Amino acid sequence: MTNAFPQASADDAAPPRTIALVGKYHSPEIAESIRLLARYLHERGITVLIEEETAGNVVSHLALGSWASGNFPWLGAHSDLAIVVGGDGTMLNAARQLARYRVPLVGVNQGRLGFMTDIARTEMLSCMDDLLDGRFIPETRMLLDAEVSRQGRSIVCNLALNDVVVDKGAIGRMIEFELFIDGEFIYHLRSDGLIVATSTGSTAYALSANGPILHPGVAAIALVPLCPHALTNRPILVGDRNEIEIRIVYATDSRAHFDGQVTADLKNGDAVRIRRSEYSITLLHPPAYSYFAMLRQKLHWSERPKEH
């Protein structure tokens, strides 16, 4: 399967002049990283902007009053790229907020696993020269458009970089839903839910549900059932041009989750429609970045068994 959407080119990694800093919310630990980055970039002649909630969380710890701050739309209009300090959750939120502004993203891992935030905090400043000189490698990642409709009326629309998940909610009963692809009925399923994941999200919730790992260059969407009542319902891949629809047949507390950060309550008869978004994001990786090396490191592939 070929990708009909163009990948980022080297031109997308042109040396930036204005950089936005985005940090993990409600985490004073990121204050020092933000301070180091802001001062380093300023000394290199870069205009530094700080996302307003990040500034609000760290201003009491550091003197950041000299740096301009604003909301995501303002950052999107004025930044050449954004450096996200935190974990994948922080990156997911920044990606959804900045996708429409086509601001490239660089991730500094201050969390735990960090599949998208691939620069270690200890290497943060040493990587900046390569970034500012335009040597980082751009990579395009697709997003999903998701819409919840009720009685023919749209009630919720959201973007997702990782996944859209329809699940049974807090009550223990399974939900029943019908799955359609491009209007064609696929199956009726009783389960705990269904994960609709991008290649980026294939290493997130979908992976823990025994879904496949998709290389970012694969133009596909993974459909991964959650604890299906029938064991013959297995994960499947569909093309990135297909439209997916999940119709709720019966549920008592069903919900739709977008990247695990935004939630919408569902009722019987609701439909969740998912397609590839017109927006994408560009992740900028250090020159030595390798997707497979990242998987080996994060998933501990090739480690020798511990001796007893």
Side-chain angles (χ1 to χ4, degrees):
M1 181 184 299
T2 59
N3 190 344
F5 288 76
Q7 297 293 310
S9 66
D11 293 338
D12 295 320
R17 302 310 308 161
T18 302
I19 295 179
L21 302 183
V22 180
K24 181 180 179 181
Y25 293 165
H26 311 302
S27 177
E29 304 87 58
I30 61 98
E32 179 65 12
S33 295
I34 296 293
R35 181 188 68 83
L36 289 172
L37 274 173
R39 289 185 176 177
Y40 181 89
L41 294 172
H42 177 72
E43 290 172 358
R44 287 289 306 266
I46 301 297
T47 299
V48 177
L49 310 177
I50 300 180
E51 188 271 328
E52 61 182 4
E53 291 196 39
T54 304
N57 287 325
V58 303
V59 72
S60 60
H61 301 273
L62 300 168
L64 289 175
S66 58
W67 312 112
S69 64
N71 59 20
F72 278 109
W74 182 78
L75 295 179
H78 295 89
S79 304
D80 297 322
L81 67 83
I83 299 176
V84 180
V85 183
D88 283 350
T90 312
M91 177 65 84
L92 288 170
N93 182 61
R96 289 197 311 275
Q97 299 280 1
L98 293 173
R100 67 185 67 248
Y101 304 102
R102 307 189 187 282
V103 175
L105 303 173
V106 176
V108 175
N109 185 15
Q110 196 133 342
R112 287 170 291 180
L113 209 53
F115 282 94
M116 288 179 286
T117 50
D118 46 36
I119 299 175
R121 183 187 181 279
T122 54
E123 301 172 354
M124 178 178 67
L125 295 185
S126 62
C127 288
M128 287 300 106
D129 285 342
D130 282 331
L131 174 65
L132 299 182
D133 292 338
R135 290 191 289 270
F136 267 42
I137 303 167
E139 179 184 51
T140 300
R141 299 288 182 96
M142 65 178 283
L143 286 90
L144 299 174
D145 267 328
E147 176 189 37
V148 178
S149 62
R150 180 171 298 158
Q151 297 179 345
R153 182 174 60 90
S154 177
I155 60 172
V156 173
C157 292
N158 272 301
L159 287 173
L161 173 59
N162 260 358
D163 49 40
V164 177
V165 179
V166 172
D167 71 9
K168 61 185 177 59
I171 297 177
R173 297 176 183 173
M174 291 187 290
I175 63 172
E176 295 184 36
F177 62 86
E178 294 177 333
L179 176 68
F180 295 80
I181 296 176
D182 293 337
E184 179 184 351
F185 174 75
I186 305 301
Y187 55 60
H188 181 114
L189 183 63
R190 297 179 69 227
S191 69
D192 284 354
L194 182 72
I195 303 170
V196 181
T198 64
S199 57
T200 302
S202 70
T203 52
Y205 192 11
L207 182 62
S208 68
N210 292 317
I213 294 177
L214 302 181
H215 187 278
V218 176
I221 299 171
L223 307 180
V224 184
L226 286 168
C227 301
H229 187 260
L231 296 180
T232 53
N233 288 107
R234 311 307 301 166
I236 61 174
L237 301 181
V238 299
D240 65 336
R241 296 285 192 174
N242 293 127
E243 179 176 309
I244 299 149
E245 181 176 349
I246 303 164
R247 298 181 189 172
I248 306 300
V249 175
Y250 178 79
T252 53
D253 191 33
S254 181
R255 298 170 187 172
H257 306 267
F258 312 96
D259 282 343
Q261 297 180 338
V262 182
T263 300
D265 292 331
L266 300 175
K267 296 182 178 181
N268 293 344
D270 285 358
V272 183
R273 297 184 180 90
I274 303 160
R275 68 185 69 180
R276 179 167 184 159
S277 173
E278 65 177 296
Y279 302 116
S280 60
I281 65 162
T282 298
L283 297 180
L284 297 179
H285 302 293
Y289 172 80
S290 161
Y291 179 76
F292 294 111
M294 180 274 295
L295 289 180
R296 285 197 302 273
Q297 176 190 7
K298 304 297 183 181
L299 300 179
H300 305 289
W301 288 350
S302 302
E303 284 192 357
R304 293 180 180 275
K306 294 182 179 179
E307 296 182 2
H308 297 286

